[in-house]
Amino acid sequence: MSYEKRLSLLVFLDMAIVWFSILTAYALRFDGSIPSSFIVQALIYGAVSCVICFLVMRYFKLYNRVWQYASIGEIIAIFKSVTLGVLLSYTVTYVVTLERVPLSILLRHYETLLLFVGGSRFAWRVVRDKFLIKKPATQKNALIFGAGDCGALIAKEMLSQLDADIYPVAFIDDDRLKHKQRIHDLPVVGSRKQIVSLTASMKIDEIIIAIPSLSKKATAEIIEVCKGTKAKLRIIPNLNDLINGKVTVRQIRDVEVEDLLGRDPINVDLEGIANYVEHKTVLVTGAGGSIGSELCRQIAPFRPKCLVLLGHGENSIYNIEMEMRRKYPDLLIETIIADIQDRERIDEVFQMYRPEVVFHAAAHKHVPLMERNPAEAIKNNVFGTKNVAEAADRYSSERFVLISTDKAVNPTSIMGTTKRIAEMIVQSLGKTSKTKFVAVRFGNVLGSRGSVIPHFKRQIALGGPVTVTHPDMIRYFMTIPEAVQLVIQAGAFAKGGEIFILDMGEPVRIVQLAEDLIRLSGFEPYEEIEIKFSGIRPGEKLYEELLTDEEGIGSTTHDRIFIGKPTLVNQGQFELELKMLEKSLCGDRAKIRESLKSMVPTFLNVS
C-alpha cells in the first residue's frame, strides 16, 4: 500500500474513532436518548475534536510510524496526542458554545479514544505476528543465551523480520529469577546446565550468546558447554554495540577460535607506550603483513609524527595505506616499496626519514617453504634483518624491536634457525649501540596469512577432509591484536639486548583445534567432516618452546611479558660466522645447513 493510501486510511479510521467515542459517551450519559439541547453540542464537540485530534496526531507523527515495530515509544506518543487532543477539544468547544461538556462525557470520550486509537495500531501488529507471519520451513531454530537487554533486542528484531534465516524459540539464562518468565512471548527455559538437553529436545540449530558484557573467560566457559551440542554457535561481539544502540541481527557473528582462548583484554601502559612513540617517526617493516599491518593500526592512535610503512609487496602496502588514511586522515603516512635485502635502498630510507622507532616485522615465515628454499630464508631473515638493524644503529634510531618466534628456540627448521640468528644480530648490536635493540618472541597468531586456522576453514567449507599433521602436535596461540599490543608494550621496557617472551597461555592440541572449528561450523567431527593425519612436515616439531636452556627467565612489570636473559655472543666470532654463512649461500643445501648448525648449535639438522 502506498504512503498516500495508508495515510488516508489511518486518518479516516481515527476520525471515525473520534466520532464513535463522542457519540457513545453522550449515549451512555443519557441512557441512549440524547436530549435535543445536547445534540448541537455533541456535533460541535465532534467536529472540533476531529480537527484538533488530527492536527495533534500529525504533530506527534502518529501517521509516520511503522506500527509493526511499535513499542513503548509509540505508546507514549499515543498517550500524549490523545490527552492533548481531548483537553484542547474540550476547551475550544466551551469557547465556541459557552457551554461546558459534561465531565462524564469528557472522561468516556478520553478513555474510548485512547483505547481505540492505541488498539487499532497494535491490533495490526498482533494479527500480523500471530496469523499472517508463518515460519518458513527453511528457518532454523535459535536458542538465545542471555535473557537481558541484548537478548531481548535480538529476539525482537528476529521476530519482526519475515526473511530472517533464524527464528528464536527460547531463552537460556543463569539467573534463576528469570526462569519460567516470558520475553516477547518466548520462554526462559533454564540455565547453561540444560543447554545440551534442551538443544536436543527443542531441535535447536543455532545458539546465540547474547551477553556482550561477559568476560572472555566466562564466554569461553559457555562455549565449552555449547560444544557438547550439534548446534552452530554465534555471538554478539561487543558491549559498545549495545550501549550505542547498534545491536542488530547483522552484528551477530560466528563464534571464532579466538573466543575459545578465554583470555581477557590486555592491560597496557598507555603512558609508557606514548612516551616512546608519540611525536616520533616510526618505521614498520613488513607493514603489509599480518603482524606489520596490525602494528600500524595500534601505533597510529599514539600520534606518531610520521608513520613509515615499508614492504616488498605493493598490493598489501597499498591496502594498509588506504586503511590508515581512512581511519587517521590527519596522520602523516609515508609508504615505501623496498626489499630489506637491498642494503643501499634501506640506507636511503633511513637517511631520508631518520626513524626514531623501528618495528622489524618483515620476514619469510612459512616453515616447509623455507626448508625447500633455505638460501632465500637466510638472505631475508638474517641479512635483511642485519641491513635494517645496522641502518638503525648508523642513523641513531632510539629503539629497534625485532618480531621473533618461538621456532627460534632449539630450532628444527631453517626458518626457526634464521630467526634465532636474527635475534643474535640484535643482541650483538645492543652491546655497543646507543640504539635500544630488543627482540620479542611469541608463538603462532590466529588468522595470520598461511596459518592453520584459515586453512582449516577452507577445508571445512569444501566439506573436508581437514588435514592435521600429527594427533599429538601442540602449539601456543595468540590473537594478532593481543600479540601486537604486547610487542608495543615490550618496546617500552627496552634497555638494550633483551629478548622479551610473551605469555602465550596454555598450549593447544592442533587436532582439538580442528575439532572445535568443525563443531563451531555446525558439523560433527569424524562423522560429517573427516579429520586426516598427514604426518609431520619437514622442519616441524611436535611442540614449541619459548626459551633456550641457557636463557632462563626474568619478570617485567607486565604479567604477560617476561625477559629471557641475554646469551653471550662473541662479537668477532659471530661476524666471522656471518661471513661464512653468506659464502655458503652459493653452495648446496647441505653446506648451508652446516653453516647454520655452526652458528646455532641447538639447531636439530633433521633434514
Side-chain angles (χ1 to χ4, degrees), residues 276 283 285 340 346 350 355-362 381-382 384-393 396-404 422-423 425-427 429-430 433-440 487 490-491 494-498 500:
Y276 83 90
L283 168 66
T285 71
I340 59 172
I346 294 300
F350 272 79
E356 290 140 300
V357 180
V358 180
F359 290 93
H360 181 49
N381 295 358
V382 175
T385 298
K386 187 171 183 287
N387 291 339
V388 179
E390 288 179 345
D393 173 46
S396 302
S397 297
E398 295 175 7
R399 294 169 200 256
F400 181 99
V401 181
L402 167 70
I403 308 299
S404 191
E423 291 178 352
I425 290 171
V426 164
Q427 289 183 310
L429 283 168
S433 176
K434 293 182 180 179
T435 301
K436 296 177 180 179
F437 283 94
V438 298
V440 182
V487 166
K495 294 181 179 177
E498 303 100 331
F500 291 103

Side-chain angles (χ1 to χ4, degrees), residues 208-221:
I208 300 169
I209 301 172
I211 312 179
S213 59
L214 275 181
S215 67
K216 293 281 187 181
K217 184 178 180 181
T219 300
E221 290 171 355

Side-chain angles (χ1 to χ4, degrees), residues 258 290 445-454 478 480:
E258 289 90 331
S290 304
V445 287
L446 295 168
S448 64
R449 294 177 190 171
S451 70
V452 69
I453 305 301
M478 182 177 278
I480 294 174

Side-chain angles (χ1 to χ4, degrees), residues 21-34 105 108:
S21 63
I22 289 174
L23 293 176
T24 55
Y26 274 92
L28 290 170
R29 171 69 175 78
F30 297 105
D31 297 324
S33 178
I34 305 174
I105 290 175
R108 287 195 179 101

